[in-house]
Amino acid sequence: MAETMRVHTLGGEDLLFLTDEQIRRGIEAMFFAYRAFTADPDLILAGMDYGRAHHRALHFIHRDPGLTVTSLLAVLGVTKQSLNRVLRTLIEDGLVESRVGRRDRRERHLHLTAEGAALERRLSEAQRARMRQAYRAAGPQAVAGFRQVLEAMMDPDTRAQYQSMKDLPL
Amino acid sequence: MAETMRVHTLGGEDLLFLTDEQIRRGIEAMFFAYRAFTADPDLILAGMDYGRAHHRALHFIHRDPGLTVTSLLAVLGVTKQSLNRVLRTLIEDGLVESRVGRRDRRERHLHLTAEGAALERRLSEAQRARMRQAYRAAGPQAVAGFRQVLEAMMDPDTRAQYQSMKDLPL
DNA sequence: TTGGAAAGTCAACAAGACTGCCCTATCAAG
DNA sequence: CTTGATAGGGCAGTCTTGTTGACTTTCCAA
């Protein structure tokens, strides 16, 4: 409340966008958009025994094949035990392969099987279709701003990780 | 995969931002940013008996005091039973007041008590602080783009609801 | 060689979503 | 005044996904 309607000017640029009300609008937009963002893959997963967590695991294994359980843990930001349950079902069902590390045999390196890659592609394509449509509707300049704000919102560690991921082969 | 690296030009404007890889980056940005977005309120809630669901209820009751249970249901997009559990604890703990409708006595109109408003403010301020910092870092043009993309991503019904909400008194 | 640290697994529990079914109170229309 | 629809609530049970705690296997360094 304190800042509501406090509008300034700085270097000739108005700061209307920093009003509490404007920020609240952004918060709500984030909530509604994220719900839509996850809706399509969730619908596909609903039939199977899988959920959103499986999708996330498939996504990051696809993006960085051979990554270890610990790395995946760090990216997903969940506990080892939580990930393990998800990973176990994916391995049992033959979607993910877990290979013992050759240099360090404590490590498990994760890869998608053909079947796993197929599901990943299906989920990913559903999600990308919505994203692509939103990008197309909003245009390149809006997309650039979208990405800027999202990056600025991340925790510094996550942001560093995110930015370094761009180097990975897709 | 089909569209990877397919870059076009349309009216002199490049469509690099529609590459599958670019869209994947957007998807990951969305995931990481949303995690940060909910982190601060979650931390506050962690100590109490409440969770994210309580925060959402408080937010929308604050934004639209006196709304009915059914309206709140529609906004949140959850089932009656799921909301009911949350609402019951909030009412029992004296954060939310449920008033019988005067025109239609079947309806329950929801209001925050002083205590409820205080918690809402505390949660909201934590979330807004991050948002404000991100907005400030990215600048007004980026913020406009951010909002455009998020709106384009929503389901049409949600978008209509979201856009009409701007008329509500805060 | 032995002891600590790291990687991963198993078991049990909690939050919060869901469905299905049942109930009351109220309203509105025939 | 009855009857059907609507608003709200409750109970039981399930599922996903997060948590903590305790355990095994493996590695490495003193």
Side-chain angles (χ1 to χ4, degrees):
Chain A
M1 284 307 166
E3 294 205 29
T4 307
M5 299 317 298
R6 265 171 61 192
V7 177
H8 305 139
T9 34
L10 171 69
E13 199 165 46
D14 80 62
L15 296 187
L16 185 59
F17 75 113
L18 283 174
T19 313
D20 270 17
E21 174 55 12
Q22 284 301 312
I23 292 177
R24 248 178 210 285
R25 293 289 289 167
I27 287 175
E28 286 172 6
M30 196 70 185
F31 168 64
F32 290 129
Y34 195 79
R35 196 168 60 191
F37 170 73
T38 56
D40 306 309
D42 280 2
L43 208 63
I44 296 175
L45 265 336
M48 327 189 182
D49 282 352
Y50 304 132
R52 208 176 287 179
H54 299 83
H55 179 195
R56 292 201 282 258
L58 291 175
H59 175 98
F60 286 107
I61 296 172
H62 167 84
R63 118 121 22 239
D64 186 15
L67 91 172
T68 63
V69 172
T70 304
S71 324
L72 184 53
L73 230 48
V75 175
L76 294 176
V78 296
T79 58
K80 199 162 53 161
Q81 295 82 341
S82 185
L83 175 58
N84 205 268
R85 185 162 6 92
V86 166
L87 230 36
R88 187 170 46 220
T89 67
L90 289 174
I91 292 169
E92 280 171 5
D93 296 352
L95 301 186
V96 168
E97 196 187 344
S98 165
R99 302 184 195 152
V100 173
R102 298 204 308 183
R103 235 190 42 226
D104 185 337
R105 299 169 28 114
R106 290 173 301 181
E107 294 178 343
R108 301 296 129 91
H109 297 268
L110 304 169
H111 299 262
L112 295 186
T113 64
E115 199 187 343
L119 178 56
E120 193 284 330
R121 196 154 38 240
R122 199 170 147 221
L123 294 170
S124 169
E125 183 43 38
Q127 194 160 46
R128 269 181 321 205
R130 183 184 292 265
M131 208 72 174
R132 194 180 299 124
Q133 165 269 317
Y135 272 25
R136 213 184 293 271
Q141 196 156 28
V143 168
F146 168 71
R147 291 268 297 269
Q148 277 175 50
V149 173
L150 290 185
E151 283 195 39
M153 213 181 314
M154 295 177 196
D155 283 317
D157 291 358
T158 309
R159 180 164 48 245
Q161 197 181 42
Y162 168 78
Q163 284 167 346
S164 73
M165 276 191 332
K166 71 168 176 292
D167 304 325
L168 291 176
L170 180 58
Chain B
M1 285 305 159
E3 294 208 28
T4 307
M5 299 317 297
R6 264 172 61 193
V7 177
H8 305 137
T9 34
L10 171 69
E13 198 165 47
D14 81 63
L15 296 186
L16 184 59
F17 74 114
L18 283 174
T19 313
D20 271 17
E21 173 57 11
Q22 284 301 313
I23 292 177
R24 246 178 212 284
R25 293 288 290 166
I27 287 175
E28 286 172 6
M30 197 67 186
F31 168 64
F32 290 129
Y34 195 79
R35 195 169 61 192
F37 170 73
T38 55
D40 307 310
D42 280 2
L43 207 64
I44 296 176
L45 265 336
M48 328 187 180
D49 282 351
Y50 304 132
R52 208 176 287 180
H54 299 82
H55 178 195
R56 292 200 282 257
L58 291 174
H59 175 98
F60 285 107
I61 296 173
H62 167 85
R63 118 119 22 237
D64 186 13
L67 90 173
T68 64
V69 173
T70 305
S71 325
L72 184 53
L73 231 47
V75 175
L76 293 176
V78 297
T79 59
K80 194 171 53 162
Q81 294 81 345
S82 192
L83 174 59
N84 208 272
R85 185 162 12 93
V86 166
L87 226 38
R88 189 168 44 219
T89 67
L90 289 175
I91 292 169
E92 280 171 4
D93 296 352
L95 301 186
V96 169
E97 196 186 345
S98 166
R99 302 185 195 151
V100 173
R102 298 204 308 182
R103 234 191 45 224
D104 185 337
R105 299 175 24 116
R106 291 173 302 179
E107 295 178 342
R108 299 298 129 90
H109 297 269
L110 303 169
H111 298 263
L112 296 186
T113 64
E115 198 187 344
L119 177 57
E120 193 284 330
R121 197 154 36 243
R122 196 168 149 223
L123 294 170
S124 169
E125 182 44 38
Q127 194 160 46
R128 269 182 320 206
R130 182 184 293 265
M131 208 71 174
R132 194 179 299 124
Q133 164 269 317
Y135 272 25
R136 212 184 293 272
Q141 196 155 28
V143 168
F146 168 71
R147 291 266 296 269
Q148 276 175 50
V149 174
L150 291 185
E151 283 193 39
M153 213 181 314
M154 295 177 197
D155 284 318
D157 291 358
T158 310
R159 181 166 46 244
Q161 197 181 42
Y162 168 79
Q163 284 166 346
S164 74
M165 275 191 332
K166 71 169 175 293
D167 304 326
L168 291 176
L170 180 58

